[in-house]
Amino acid sequence: MNTQGRPTRPAGSEGVAHRTFTGNRALDMEEALIFETGRFDATGVDIDEPAPFQSRLGPHARQRGLDLPGLAEPEAVRHYVRLSRDNYSIDAGIYPLGSCTMKHNPRLNEKMARLPGFADVHPLQPVSTAQGALAVIEALADVLITMTGMSAVAMSPKAGAHGELCGMMAIKAAIEARGEAEARRVVLVPDSAHGTNPATAALIGFSVRPVPAGEDGNVSAETVKATLAPDVAAIMLTNPNTCGLFERQIVGIAEAVHEAGAYFYCDGANFNAIVGKTRPGDLGVDAMHINLHKTFSTPHGGGGPGAGPVTLSPRLAPYAPVPFVVRDGEGLRLVEHASGSESFGRMTAFHGQMGMFVRALSFILSHGADGLRQASEDAVLAANYVRASLNDVMSAPFGDRVCMHEALFDDRWLKDTGLTTLDFAKAMIDEGFHPMTVCFPLIVHGAMLIEPTESESKASLDRFIMTLRDLAFGAKAGKRERFLPAPVYAPRRRLDETRAARQPVLRWTRPAPV
Ligand SMILES: Cc1ncc(COP(=O)(O)O)c(C=O)c1O
């Protein structure tokens, strides 16, 4: 602890002549939690004592103050500004996370989302006063249906995983309507799938039967046929898949699944690689969620509030949840009740995440059909540029195969270096880069999944590639000291992530007075 009671920056500032008194390194400021720095006599607000009153809470009324530490107003402002400077963001540099992608969110989208008519709209205001907002939902729904070649879309789900839940609930409702609820209780999920897929299926009572991906990273129609049986309700297949590859046998898989009386759920998180190139509806998909944050540049909801609209085939459209927007003689209105229809019900209190809809529609309209197609092509080009530029120094699990929107490497090239994928990723932090996704997909040992997206320039990609090459050469040359203690220059060193996950400190206890 330093004299201000703040924990000092951990040792290991190689290259720094001496440790500073404050723990700060020039403008890189050490910042403790308010619990550690706050004072019990400090507050940013000054309000009058309330007039004496009789509490109706009786014995449940709080007997003493909350006993929380406080800061003066300028201290609170500085606290949050300093913390925000420790954040890495897409606005600060390339964010090469595979699978969960962050890409540039054009400020035009933000401006549109902040227009008072959209930003201040209230879900309970009369629909006659929210016609513009409903028109945005309707317009976005129309383009999503057109781009996917499906016949309906449920707009209310609030994240990709929530969209999966919605699609699978529609499938469950369709199976129940066929009187097969008891018979069809299994969902097929490839072992390369995102963890949310089996979790979704299990959450609504299905059991999960894994389907092994082949040596080439793809799921074959033959393997799917071998796992299909009369107890199968659906398959959940990601396309392009989590190895960054297009599922070449997707049409054959869809046919086999339909022949077996099951439904085809497609995890469409990676739709950003194929927009304008192919339509999932034409490939035989029955339900597919779209992660608006990946494909249409809205900020990632991180579980919400994001948006994960689900497109549905004609077979599933009748089971879509309420509410949905319809247009009739009097304009736009929301259908709020499922009774009397086949809709499986309601997933969220209201119609969805308005701000995300506005951002996505703004991205779509400002790009136009040709711009969206080019964004997909550029995303694939950027990933292949990264792949081809690193292939000679790192190992790719599926050889020289052209990838879609993300480039996948494994850890075979680190063999004999005494280093792991994690060491490599941590050393990237010292170079000022957010690491790629590591150790996912699980079927690839020590996986490194890099998704540059279409929004990085060639100059930015070159800087990234040169850095990774330099690190790779360092690893191979036995410069373990560059990796094992990394990150050395970050505000925090290597954390015990297992302990943080298993024994999180969620309670604060006021320290005894000294
Ligand atoms: C393949 C895949 N499926 C599902 C999801 C879940 O999406 P979300 O994080 O929006 O819930 C993601 C994450 O982006 C993903 O990459």
Side-chain angles (χ1 to χ4, degrees), residues 98-101 158-164 193-197 238 240-242 267-270 289-294 300-304 306-308 406 440 451:
S99 200
C100 286
T101 332
K158 301 244 170 93
H162 203 207
E164 288 172 34
H194 197 259
T196 48
N197 291 190
T238 308
N241 68 22
T242 56
D267 180 329
N270 300 331
H289 76 264
I290 299 169
N291 288 31
L292 290 191
H293 62 267
K294 285 194 77 169
H300 194 160
E406 49 198 354
F440 177 80
E451 179 165 2

Side-chain angles (χ1 to χ4, degrees), residues 28-373:
D28 172 8
M29 292 186 181
E30 181 58 27
E31 188 63 12
L33 303 177
I34 293 181
F35 287 120
E36 293 160 331
T37 49
R39 302 176 305 279
F40 293 95
D41 59 349
T43 171
V45 289
D46 180 12
I47 43 178
D48 289 343
E49 280 296 315
F53 67 98
Q54 188 63 44
S55 166
R56 282 182 290 156
L57 294 172
H60 304 297
R62 185 176 288 284
Q63 301 301 315
R64 53 191 188 87
L66 276 177
D67 225 10
L68 291 174
L71 296 175
E73 187 181 326
E75 289 174 321
V77 171
R78 284 182 192 150
H79 173 74
Y80 289 108
V81 169
R82 286 177 183 159
L83 283 186
S84 73
R85 291 171 22 154
D86 277 347
N87 245 353
Y88 190 91
S89 69
I90 188 67
D91 291 340
I94 178 170
Y95 218 111
L97 273 186
S99 200
C100 286
T101 332
M102 304 268 178
K103 68 179 180 188
H104 175 59
N105 173 22
R107 292 306 177 266
L108 174 68
N109 306 352
E110 291 302 315
K111 192 171 177 192
M112 295 301 115
R114 279 168 176 68
L115 291 175
F118 296 131
D120 300 339
V121 71
H122 192 282
L124 290 180
Q125 77 189 59
V127 286
S128 61
T129 65
Q131 289 289 299
L134 295 190
V136 164
I137 300 179
E138 186 196 38
L140 181 59
D142 279 353
V143 243
L144 296 181
I145 288 172
T146 305
M147 280 191 279
T148 53
M150 306 283 267
S151 70
V153 59
M155 298 296 286
S156 63
K158 301 244 170 93
H162 203 207
E164 288 172 34
L165 185 64
C166 175
M168 290 305 292
M169 284 172 78
I171 288 176
K172 197 171 189 195
I175 284 181
E176 276 167 11
R178 280 163 37 183
E180 293 186 287
E182 288 309 312
R184 295 189 180 266
R185 303 188 64 100
V186 172
V187 172
L188 306 182
V189 183
D191 53 8
S192 52
H194 197 259
T196 48
N197 291 190
T200 298
L203 187 71
I204 53 171
F206 288 114
S207 54
V208 173
R209 185 174 299 156
V211 183
E215 293 280 292
D216 59 353
N218 277 154
V219 174
S220 80
E222 277 314 307
T223 314
V224 171
K225 278 183 197 157
T227 37
L228 277 168
D231 60 354
V232 173
I235 187 170
M236 294 182 85
L237 184 77
T238 308
N239 188 46
N241 68 22
T242 56
C243 299
L245 303 173
F246 193 87
E247 286 291 354
R248 288 168 167 159
Q249 299 192 21
I250 188 166
V251 174
I253 292 172
E255 283 167 3
V257 166
H258 290 152
E259 245 166 61
Y263 291 94
F264 183 0
Y265 185 91
C266 180
D267 180 329
N270 300 331
F271 189 45
N272 58 322
I274 55 172
V275 172
K277 307 296 285 185
T278 185
R279 301 190 313 164
D282 299 339
L283 303 175
V285 169
D286 290 307
M288 184 184 94
H289 76 264
I290 299 169
N291 288 31
L292 290 191
H293 62 267
K294 285 194 77 169
T295 306
F296 301 118
S297 93
T298 67
H300 194 160
V310 183
T311 54
L312 300 166
S313 68
R315 299 191 327 144
L316 291 181
Y319 305 98
V322 290
F324 51 85
V325 177
V326 289
R327 185 180 283 276
D328 57 23
E330 293 179 12
L332 294 161
R333 65 185 172 86
L334 278 171
V335 175
E336 294 273 5
H337 300 289
S339 55
S341 76
E342 290 172 293
S343 163
F344 72 74
R346 176 181 283 271
M347 290 205 70
T348 61
F350 301 112
H351 47 262
Q353 205 59 41
M354 193 66 216
M356 297 301 181
F357 297 158
V358 178
R359 288 180 178 93
L361 188 61
S362 165
F363 184 81
I364 289 169
L365 294 180
S366 56
H367 276 68
D370 59 333
L372 290 173
R373 189 177 312 113

